[in-house]
């Protein structure tokens, strides 16, 4: 890995959907991204910009029509060993899932087995990773539920008997029970009311603090990123276009798309008219040439439509925009 402190690195990752009739959707294009130990990294951008595909690519949850064209995903396990996710056999991949790299996809109901009591779903996680005695498992699970503010009694429930907030927290407990190094969480607070959202935010922060877990939090909700993340990567049309510390991204967005996202956030009591983004993201089967944001960009220059901007490094910020050339 290029950085000593990184626990996960994506290098030049490109993934396409080949959806027939020669149509290729370039959902993830040449992505470079790293997550540090104990870090909560946000992945932000409008719907359809490739966030979920990038998470699936990192987790190697890849099947046709999705195809990883190039790049590598490397993870550092607790003894310091580095693993290239795409060089593992299927059996090796199953072993590191949950123990090293865990994934919480969107929609808690789709993750849980509706016909199985919650306790059996925890037993199933442990069964995949070795022989454990049920009593020992229950002791560990009850401890985790307590830490997450959930009652032991939910272990006897079926998923549909839990409220949305309890179910979401249970899914997060299932994903983190083996204390993985990195958790990928896709829209973990969507469809939750404000009270439950706050609970999930606190729980993620507690897990990071207690177990040193790193998170990638995917959300289109910039307010959530502002509350929970240490750094944010902004994704547009399959590309990472800006990465920086959360404070800096909010106080001084450098990429015009990031600026548009920040300006779209409604503020309590704010009387100023929102100056968000105009237009729509491009069709990724036929993205525009040059900078993919140029048809919507208020600052576009002639070369923006011709030449793709490279990555510019400004302090600890990474930005792909011609406005930063020579700065
Ligand atoms: Fe706008 Fe040009 Fe920067 Fe793209 S490269 S965001 S079009 S100024």
């Amino acid at each position: 890995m290029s950085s000593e402190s990184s626990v996960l690195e994506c290098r030049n990752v490109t993934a396409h959907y080949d959806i027939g009739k020669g149509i290729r959707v370039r959902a993830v294009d040449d992505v470079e991204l790293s997550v540090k130990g104990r870090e909560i990294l946000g992945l932000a951008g409008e719907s359809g910009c490739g966030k979920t595909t990038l998470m699936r690519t990192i987790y190697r949850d890849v099947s046709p029509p999705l195809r990883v064209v190039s790049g590598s995903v490397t993870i550092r396990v607790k003894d310091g060993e580095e693993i290239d996710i795409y060089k593992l056999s299927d059996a090796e991949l199953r072993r590191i899932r949950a123990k090293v790299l865990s994934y919480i996809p969107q929609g808690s109901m789709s993750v849980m087995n509706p016909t199985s009591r919650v306790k059996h779903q925890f037993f199933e996680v442990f069964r995949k990773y070795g022989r454990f005695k049920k009593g020992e498992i229950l002791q560990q699970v009850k401890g985790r539920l307590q830490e997450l503010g959930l009652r032991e009694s939910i272990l006897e429930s079926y998923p549909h008997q839990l409220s949305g907030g309890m179910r979401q927290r249970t899914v997060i407990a299932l994903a983190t029970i083996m204390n993985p190094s990195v958790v990928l969480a896709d829209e973990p607070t969507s469809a939750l009311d404000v009270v439950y959202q706050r609970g999930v935010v606190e729980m993620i922060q507690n897990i990071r603090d207690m177990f040193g877990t790193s998170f990638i939090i995917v959300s289109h909700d910039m307010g959530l990123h502002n509350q929970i993340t240490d750094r944010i990567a902004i994704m547009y049309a399959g590309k990472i276009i800006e990465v920086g510390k959360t404070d800096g991204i909010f106080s001084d967005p450098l990429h015009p798309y990031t600026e548009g996202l920040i300006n779209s956030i409604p503020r309590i009591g704010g009387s100023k008219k929102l100056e968000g983004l105009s237009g729509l993201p491009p069709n990724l089967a036929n993205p525009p040439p040059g900078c993919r944001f140029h048809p919507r960009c208020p600052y576009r220059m002639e070369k923006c439509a011709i030449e793709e901007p490279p990555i510019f490094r400004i302090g600890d910020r990474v930005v792909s925009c011609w406005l930063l050339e020579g700065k």
Side-chain angles (χ1 to χ4, degrees), residues 163-225:
S163 69
M166 288 164 83
R167 201 161 52 226
Q168 186 70 325
R169 282 185 287 165
T170 306
V171 167
I172 296 175
L174 279 162
T176 57
I177 190 68
M178 306 295 282
N179 296 337
S181 306
V182 181
V183 176
L184 314 172
D186 197 348
E187 301 282 3
T189 61
S190 64
L192 295 181
D193 67 29
V194 175
V195 175
Y196 288 134
Q197 277 186 20
R198 198 178 313 123
V200 168
V201 166
E202 283 172 7
M203 188 180 60
I204 288 171
Q205 288 168 328
N206 287 345
I207 292 171
R208 182 267 300 274
D209 295 344
M210 285 188 284
F211 308 109
T213 308
S214 303
F215 285 84
I216 302 182
I217 305 287
V218 172
S219 181
H220 62 276
D221 178 353
M222 292 301 286
L224 174 70
H225 288 296

Side-chain angles (χ1 to χ4, degrees), residues 73-141:
V73 179
T74 314
I75 192 160
R76 180 177 283 135
V77 294
K78 280 175 181 153
D79 63 3
E81 185 195 353
E82 286 178 15
I83 295 172
D84 184 332
I85 301 280
Y86 280 84
K87 288 191 175 150
L88 297 175
S89 67
D90 288 349
E92 288 168 333
L93 184 64
R94 274 195 297 278
R95 271 199 294 278
I96 71 145
R97 282 183 174 167
K99 265 190 156 174
V100 178
L101 178 65
S102 187
Y103 180 34
I104 306 169
Q106 282 187 55
S108 53
M109 253 337 243
S110 65
V111 180
M112 298 180 83
N113 178 349
T115 63
S116 174
R117 290 184 197 275
V118 169
K119 70 177 178 188
H120 292 128
Q121 309 208 26
F122 278 100
F123 292 154
E124 198 49 41
V125 173
F126 281 89
R127 197 170 295 131
K128 278 188 200 160
Y129 301 103
R131 290 160 191 267
F132 291 84
K133 294 195 174 107
K134 279 191 180 172
E136 289 172 11
I137 295 173
L138 281 175
Q139 205 177 357
Q140 189 175 337
V141 170

Side-chain angles (χ1 to χ4, degrees), residues 255-257 291-295 297-301 303-305 307 309 320-323:
H255 194 287
Y257 178 64
C291 170
R292 290 183 178 185
F293 187 58
H294 85 258
C297 182
Y299 307 103
R300 67 179 167 268
M301 302 168 278
K303 74 168 165 185
C304 299
E307 214 178 326
S320 172
C321 171
W322 284 120
L323 292 173

